Amino acid sequence: MIRVLLADDQPLVRTGFRMILDSEPDIEVVGEACDGADAVRQAGRLRPDVVVMDIRMPVLDGIAATGQLVAQGTAPVLVLTTFGLDEYVVAALRAGASGFLLKDTQPAELLQALRVVIRGDALLSPGL
């Protein structure tokens, strides 16, 4: 079972991702965080296999949260964001993100990306 923590400041977006992920028999969403600081706290407590992280969030952004999670060895991070700017991609990868996808990714691609990250491989959205 792949245990996932979702981190996004928009409740509707988290709900949509949860619906996609929960439809898979081998994936379980174990928590939802509304900002980067909440994601770091919850990841330490829940010990997910992977964190799906937005970039622009209040309190602590997704780049800083990714850096903390990777430094602590808590879980690999798959960044999933609306913003495909080069500086965000580079910053996320420097922070240690295992993958970077845009939110216009198809559900099947998101599911495949999670499985790639769990295997220890890295990936970038094809459009980047």
Side-chain angles (χ1 to χ4, degrees):
M1 182 69 66
I2 300 171
R3 297 169 36 85
V4 180
L5 172 64
L6 297 173
D8 195 295
D9 60 326
Q10 297 177 336
L12 188 59
V13 170
R14 289 194 313 268
T15 299
F17 290 151
R18 178 183 278 276
M19 291 174 63
I20 292 167
L21 299 176
D22 280 345
S23 71
E24 293 295 300
D26 64 332
I27 297 176
E28 175 187 15
V29 176
V30 296
E32 295 183 21
C34 60
D35 61 59
D38 189 27
V40 172
R41 277 191 304 275
Q42 286 198 48
R45 182 173 50 82
L46 298 172
R47 293 300 194 199
D49 297 312
V50 64
V51 177
V52 176
M53 181 82 68
D54 189 18
I55 287 183
R56 286 191 177 174
M57 293 185 291
V59 183
L60 183 68
D61 68 42
I63 302 294
T66 295
Q68 288 184 23
L69 291 171
V70 171
Q72 295 168 2
T74 307
V77 176
L78 173 61
V79 171
L80 186 58
T81 186
T82 304
F83 307 99
L85 302 173
D86 289 347
E87 65 241 32
Y88 286 143
V89 176
V90 170
L93 296 176
R94 282 191 179 143
S98 296
F100 193 104
L101 291 177
L102 297 176
K103 286 184 180 173
D104 65 357
T105 296
Q106 294 297 313
E109 293 170 349
L110 171 59
L111 296 168
Q112 179 62 28
L114 281 174
R115 292 180 174 99
V116 166
V117 168
I118 290 299
R119 284 195 314 258
D121 295 326
L123 72 116
L124 285 177
S125 187
L128 299 174

